[in-house]
Amino acid sequence: MIFNAFFAALGQLNDPRFRKVLLMGLGITVAGLALLTFLFVNIVGWFVGDTVTLPWIGDVTWLDTLAEWSSFFLMLILSVFLMVPVASAVTSLFLDQVAQAVEDKHYPHLPPADASGLVDDIMDGLGFLGVLVVANLFALVLYLIFAPLAPIIFWLLNGFLLGREYFTLAAMRRIGRPPAKALRRRHIVTIWAAGTLMAIPLSVPIVNLIIPILGAATFTHIFHMVSRQR
C-alpha cells in the first residue's frame, strides 16, 4: 500500500498544481525570512544606538554597525535551519490543492470535498510548525546521547509527525476532523511507516523542499486505500 501510494504520488510531480504550490510555499518562505531578518537587524541597531559611551574609552560610534552585521549573519545562519520547517508549514496552507489534484486524476468519481477555512488552515500550519520545531529541539538531546542513532531518531520522529499531519489533512477533507483522527489511530503503524519514508529525504537539500507536496499526495492515496479496506 505504502509503495503504491508513494509511486503514484511521485508520478504526478509534474502536475502544474504541484509546481504552483511549491513555488508559492518557497516564495512566501523566502519573503518572510527576508522580512524577519530586516526587522531583526534594524531592531538590534535601534537598541544599540548610534553612539555608545564606554568606561575608560569614551564615545564609540561603530558598535551599532557591528551589532547589525552580526545579527544579519546570525539570521542568515538561522534561515538555513528554518528554511525547511517554515517552508513545510507555509506549503501546508496550500496542500488542499495537491490533494484535489490527486483526486481529480485518480478518483474522479468522488463528489467535491469539504473546503476548510483560511483561518483553520493558518492555525493548522502554525500548529504543525510549532510541533515540528519543538519536537526537533528536544530531539537534539537524544542526538547527543545516542549520536550513532541520530539519523534513525530523526527519521522516526519526523516520520511520525509528517504522517500524523498529512494523513489527517487528507482524511478530514472527506470525513471531518474527529473521524479523521480516529481513522489515523486505527492505522497508525502504516501511517508512521509511510511518514518515515517521507522523512528520509528530509536530509537531502533541495529534495526536502518537495516533501510536503509529495507527502500530501501520498497520504491522499493512503487515505483512500484504507477507506476502501474499511
Side-chain angles (χ1 to χ4, degrees), residues 16-29 91 213:
R17 279 179 284 185
F18 282 32
R19 292 198 299 271
K20 178 183 175 183
V21 170
L22 175 62
L23 293 176
M24 284 194 301
L26 287 178
I28 293 174
T29 299
T91 303
I213 295 170

Side-chain angles (χ1 to χ4, degrees), residues 4 29 38 52-53 82 93 111 113 128 138 150 158 173 177 183 188 208 222 226 228 230:
N4 286 341
T29 299
F38 174 80
V52 177
T53 302
L82 291 173
L93 299 177
F128 178 50
F138 278 112
N158 287 279
R173 297 176 68 252
R177 190 181 295 270
L183 187 64
I188 188 60
N208 51 21
I222 290 177
V226 299
R228 284 203 300 267
R230 186 180 59 171

Side-chain angles (χ1 to χ4, degrees), residues 83-84 87-88 198-199 201-213:
M83 176 63 75
V84 173
S88 297
M198 297 293 106
L202 284 177
S203 308
V204 183
I206 306 301
V207 175
N208 51 21
L209 295 174
I210 69 170
I211 293 304
I213 295 170

Side-chain angles (χ1 to χ4, degrees), residues 29 33 81-92 121-137 158 161 164-166:
T29 299
L33 290 175
F81 294 98
L82 291 173
M83 176 63 75
V84 173
V86 173
S88 297
V90 172
T91 303
S92 68
D121 288 342
I122 293 174
M123 294 305 296
D124 287 341
L126 291 176
F128 178 50
L129 174 61
V131 170
L132 199 64
V133 171
V134 171
N136 278 280
L137 286 176
N158 287 279
L161 296 175
R164 178 179 178 273
E165 175 72 10
Y166 294 140

